Amino acid sequence: MEYVTSPLPAAVLWDMDGTIVDTEPLWMGAEEALVLRHGGTWTDADSLSLVGSDLLESAAYIRERGNIPMTPPQIVDHMVGEVLKGIGDGVTWQPGVVELLTELRALGVPQALVTMSYRRLAEAVVEQLPAGLFGAVVTGDEVTNGKPHPEPYLTAARELGADPAECVVIEDSPRGAAAGLAAGALVLSVPNAVAAVPEPGLVVIDSLAGVRATDLLALFDDAALDRV
């Protein structure tokens, strides 16, 4: 008997900030404003170092850099509120994302949203997308270990009933890419603020514009050929 390998992944696990929606400028602006308000100094390098991080870890860093008299949970609550305000003014989808999301749904490929943002922020983004795209939403306030730990992606695969090794993770940050690899998935990295470095199982492309569902696994075949 011949077994035909599907040209589609068992599931696609999406990061949110910087991958689906261009919220990184909102996060960076909120970080800088909060630190400057308390007399601290903040640089682009500070913001870039936090891309893809667990929010409480980021808040602890912000608190120290700005000598801010708030607890990390208070800082996270403030930051999420600021980003929510920005999203309320409208969101900017990354190129090709909505088209790929809707094509995967039409083909019956399960999808999950896996973000270190908190549930209320993730829901605000999901509400602006076509209904029914995600079979699972895993958020930073609902996991014990944030990215780059594999827990968020392992949780998403489990909720979709998919083997992580048969999933494709789509990420923009090195931390997120590391989480996907640690979970055993293939990782497609589309850099936004900070670029990941290609390695076995991790392919980097400039944009999702024009990327089709059947390209997702083929990109890894092409990368393997490039290494021969």
Side-chain angles (χ1 to χ4, degrees):
M1 181 183 294
E2 286 190 19
Y3 292 91
V4 178
T5 302
S6 171
L8 298 170
V12 177
L13 314 178
W14 293 82
D15 172 54
M16 186 177 78
D17 293 294
T19 299
I20 287 180
V21 62
D22 190 19
T23 48
E24 295 299 356
L26 297 176
W27 286 106
M28 292 177 177
E31 291 159 2
E32 182 178 26
L34 181 61
V35 171
L36 294 182
R37 189 185 314 152
H38 290 87
T41 57
W42 192 257
T43 66
D44 288 344
D46 288 316
S47 285
L48 293 176
S49 73
L50 299 182
V51 172
S53 298
D54 175 87
L55 290 189
L56 285 173
E57 291 178 10
S58 296
Y61 181 91
I62 293 166
R63 182 175 184 266
E64 182 178 344
R65 289 286 284 139
N67 194 28
I68 298 171
M70 299 165 66
T71 65
Q74 288 172 331
I75 291 174
V76 169
D77 190 61
H78 169 80
M79 299 287 293
V80 169
E82 291 300 295
V83 176
L84 272 172
K85 289 178 188 175
I87 288 174
D89 294 332
V91 298
T92 301
W93 307 114
Q94 298 290 48
V97 162
V98 175
E99 293 85 350
L100 184 55
L101 281 164
T102 52
E103 184 191 12
L104 287 165
R105 179 184 61 180
L107 292 170
V109 177
Q111 300 180 88
L113 186 66
V114 186
T115 176
M116 289 299 89
S117 286
Y118 283 10
R119 172 69 58 171
R120 61 192 176 114
L121 188 51
E123 288 179 347
V125 171
V126 170
E127 285 172 2
Q128 299 191 46
L129 285 164
L133 291 176
F134 300 112
V137 176
V138 177
T139 59
D141 51 335
E142 297 172 351
V143 295
T144 303
N145 301 288
K147 302 173 187 178
H149 194 280
E151 180 187 345
Y153 282 114
L154 291 173
T155 301
R158 184 174 65 251
E159 290 189 9
L160 294 179
D163 180 347
E166 297 178 356
C167 295
V168 170
V169 163
I170 303 181
E171 269 282 356
D172 73 305
S173 73
R175 283 175 180 263
L181 288 176
L186 295 172
V187 178
L188 183 60
S189 178
V190 189
N192 182 17
V194 187
V197 178
E199 60 178 285
L202 192 163
V203 171
V204 180
I205 61 173
D206 291 335
S207 170
L208 288 173
V211 173
R212 303 295 303 271
T214 52
D215 295 328
L216 292 176
L217 291 179
L219 284 164
F220 294 91
D221 293 337
D222 293 343
L225 290 173
D226 290 344
R227 291 195 297 273
V228 173

